[in-house]
Amino acid sequence: MGLLTFKGGVHPPHKKKFSENEAIKILPLPEKVYVYTAHSIGAPAKPIVEVGDKVKTGQKIAEAGGFISANLHSPVTGTVVEFTKLVNAASGLKSDVIVIEREGEDQWELLEKTDDHTKLKPEEIVARVKEAGIVGLGGAMFPSHVKLSIPKGKKAESLIINAAECEPYITIDYRMMLEKTSEVLKGIEIIMHTIGVEKAYVGIEDNKSKAISHMKEAVKNSSIEIVPLKTKYPQGAEKQLINAVTGKEVPSGGLPIDIGAVVFNVSTAYAIYDAIYNGKALVESGISLTGEGVKKPGNFWFRVGTKVSELLDYVGIIEEDKIDRVLYGGPMMGISLPDTELPTFKGNNAITVMTKDVAPNKETMPCIRCSSCVSVCPIGLQPYLMKKLADTRKYDDLTNNNLMDCIECGACSYTCPSGIDLTKSFKTAKKVVRAMKQRRG
Ligand code: SF4
Ligand code: SF4
């Protein structure tokens, strides 16, 4: 039997070689951090500090603004010096930021911790994860306490750990599996205990053979199973991963829990371990600083809110006129940064610096109806038709053609021989449809 996978998808070059053999290094503490209050999917957090307040590392500085929201904590020990607004590259809009100036080394304010998570009830773990402000670190930044709270009437049957890391260039989850193995596994056990499942599956693409064999050895005699997956983009998208591992399909408009699945990323499992066993709120995380434009690519432990320019200074970048763009994330789903003076988020798993000679040719030609975009769409959508509808602003027809099921994976744009950026149109159209829905009530 061949390796497990999903239908559709593309095979971009892996480009993992830049950083895959680089062990995670701890970056020096930043002098200032810039913490967006909108730091997760859902409502922004509400600040509970004022300018002039002294804060410790890990001290709460903003309260979750709703159930789907996450607490924020200070990434350094110092003083709150300013409330300002900076562009949020994801929305293009200005967003509230708390600025903290560091004073000396860390003095941690720790949360309640335990030496045995099995002594804690699931609801206690959910509360501690919520308190620690943990969000999904695979990029989506969905609040973890919400995922751990199984809705009434639903039952979790399987936990799937996303270790596919299918985006080109990014290698931090790979390094986490090699270097933080026991912590990641403990995090998986905590999640299993919390959602009440007997079995967990760790899906790893077969281009990470070292991680597969290392993790297989580490989970011997446990109820965690390592599932090698075919290397194909977007293997790490939630619905595609569930389909590859379980053979089940999340229905259109549905959630993984509708078919009994719960998905967490490798680094999120680590963050959950760190909160429950070490009492650490989520103020630091792993990141790959990589791409052809980086002089010394690698994997690092960074403080949330560090400016991208400061991270890039550490690894060095090549001449500016050779650089095409700097991305939060990888080239397929990453967000192009308008300015490297912007700060990092909790969920930043990579900064990729792409050079002009490797960036895709931006010349756009008319659609030749080759249907390549249809065959690669992992959701089974008709991107060329959706693009036509988006261009003519037929939003109701677009919705009927399942626009909202598009996971913005970029596979259609990647494969299009005419260089049409279909995904960009769908991202914009989804924002318009959401706004129209809100207006219609
Ligand atoms: S891949 Fe590009 S050219 Fe081919 S049908 Fe889709 S939009 Fe048209
Ligand atoms: S971006 Fe959307 S339409 Fe394009 S391949 Fe991905 S899911 Fe399909």
Side-chain angles (χ1 to χ4, degrees):
M1 197 176 87
L3 284 163
L4 296 171
T5 191
F6 63 97
K7 276 192 221 130
V10 290
H11 298 273
H14 308 161
K15 308 258 186 174
K16 307 270 187 190
K17 65 178 190 309
F18 294 107
S19 54
E20 67 188 352
N21 294 322
E22 299 295 324
I24 303 169
K25 292 192 189 89
I26 299 173
L27 287 173
L29 292 172
E31 292 308 313
K32 263 189 189 179
V33 284
Y34 302 78
V35 186
Y36 287 108
T37 58
H39 227 105
S40 65
I41 286 178
K46 294 180 182 151
I48 54 168
V49 287
E50 289 177 5
V51 170
D53 282 358
K54 299 274 180 204
V55 288
K56 289 185 177 172
T57 307
Q59 180 180 332
K60 189 154 59 173
I61 55 171
E63 288 268 7
F67 181 58
I68 302 187
S69 181
N71 290 337
L72 285 176
H73 302 79
S74 179
V76 292
T77 296
T79 303
V80 177
V81 289
E82 194 186 353
F83 288 86
T84 186
K85 283 184 187 285
L86 289 172
V87 169
N88 177 329
S91 64
L93 302 173
K94 284 206 164 179
S95 189
D96 292 327
V97 172
I98 304 170
V99 187
I100 302 167
E101 197 166 280
R102 183 171 70 83
E103 283 152 14
E105 295 304 304
D106 282 326
Q107 287 178 45
W108 278 90
E109 183 170 302
L110 295 175
L111 306 167
E112 210 175 343
K113 53 186 174 177
T114 183
D115 54 8
D116 180 1
H117 69 272
T118 60
K119 289 184 196 152
L120 296 175
K121 290 187 192 130
E123 53 271 29
E124 287 173 312
I125 294 177
V126 173
R128 289 185 187 201
V129 167
K130 183 178 180 189
E131 197 51 38
I134 296 171
V135 300
L137 299 179
M141 298 206 294
F142 190 82
S144 297
H145 66 273
V146 182
K147 258 197 190 178
L148 288 173
S149 310
I150 306 301
K152 280 212 170 75
K154 310 265 181 204
K155 187 173 171 1
E157 280 153 20
S158 50
L159 169 65
I160 299 164
I161 298 298
N162 190 352
E165 204 160 54
C166 60
E167 263 273 6
Y169 295 93
I170 307 177
T171 55
I172 189 65
D173 282 348
Y174 171 71
R175 293 306 315 181
M176 291 293 286
M177 286 188 279
L178 294 183
E179 297 179 46
K180 310 268 183 201
T181 320
S182 58
E183 294 90 338
V184 166
L185 293 177
K186 193 55 106 180
I188 297 173
E189 285 170 18
I190 299 170
I191 301 170
M192 290 169 73
H193 173 70
T194 311
I195 62 173
V197 296
E198 300 292 325
K199 183 106 197 173
Y201 304 88
V202 183
I204 311 176
E205 285 192 333
D206 68 333
N207 63 349
K208 301 167 193 78
S209 53
K210 208 166 147 189
I212 292 174
S213 51
H214 179 77
M215 290 286 280
K216 274 192 171 168
E217 189 60 36
V219 299
K220 266 186 185 165
N221 310 318
S222 85
S223 45
I224 301 172
E225 184 180 327
I226 306 304
V227 185
L229 303 168
K230 194 169 170 183
T231 302
K232 188 166 67 161
Y233 179 87
Q235 185 67 80
E238 201 166 65
K239 291 181 180 177
Q240 283 55 50
L241 181 69
I242 295 169
N243 183 239
V245 173
T246 68
K248 292 184 190 171
E249 277 200 25
V250 179
S252 169
L255 294 169
I257 193 64
D258 295 337
I259 54 163
V262 178
V263 181
F264 275 89
N265 160 275
V266 170
S267 293
T268 318
Y270 176 90
I272 289 174
Y273 155 81
D274 211 18
I276 299 299
Y277 276 83
N278 298 327
K280 285 192 174 176
L282 181 54
V283 298
E284 53 184 356
S285 187
I287 195 166
S288 300
L289 302 175
T290 181
E292 283 83 357
V294 171
K295 284 185 185 160
K296 287 186 196 153
N299 300 291
F300 301 91
W301 209 241
F302 78 107
R303 289 293 161 99
V304 171
T306 308
K307 278 188 179 177
V308 171
S309 58
E310 202 173 327
L311 298 180
L312 294 180
D313 279 349
Y314 193 79
V315 288
I317 49 172
I318 61 162
E319 303 94 280
E320 208 170 309
D321 61 341
K322 291 191 180 154
I323 291 171
D324 181 73
R325 60 202 146 127
V326 179
L327 298 153
Y328 279 140
M332 299 299 286
M333 287 191 87
I335 298 167
S336 191
L337 275 164
D339 181 357
T340 56
E341 291 307 305
L342 293 176
T344 42
F345 288 88
K346 287 179 184 177
N348 274 143
N349 57 359
I351 303 291
T352 308
V353 183
M354 296 197 72
T355 50
K356 288 178 181 155
D357 55 332
V358 297
N361 181 357
K362 288 185 185 109
E363 198 185 343
T364 305
M365 309 287 279
C367 170
I368 54 167
R369 304 241 170 165
C370 65
S371 80
S372 297
C373 53
V374 179
S375 54
V376 301
C377 178
I379 307 293
L381 304 176
Q382 298 193 63
Y384 76 94
L385 174 64
M386 286 160 54
K387 170 82 171 114
K388 217 170 146 192
L389 296 171
D391 288 348
T392 49
R393 301 182 185 187
K394 293 193 171 142
Y395 295 113
D396 288 336
D397 288 349
L398 255 176
T399 308
N400 292 337
N401 276 280
N402 303 320
L403 168 75
M404 300 317 273
D405 283 345
C406 167
I407 56 168
E408 303 173 18
C409 67
C412 51
S413 301
Y414 176 80
T415 203
C416 178
S418 293
I420 302 170
D421 193 347
L422 299 126
T423 315
K424 194 174 171 192
S425 296
F426 306 152
K427 281 184 187 174
T428 310
K430 282 171 81 176
K431 281 185 194 157
V432 175
V433 169
R434 278 194 204 106
M436 281 168 56
K437 253 193 196 160
Q438 263 180 358
R439 263 206 310 273
R440 286 176 187 166

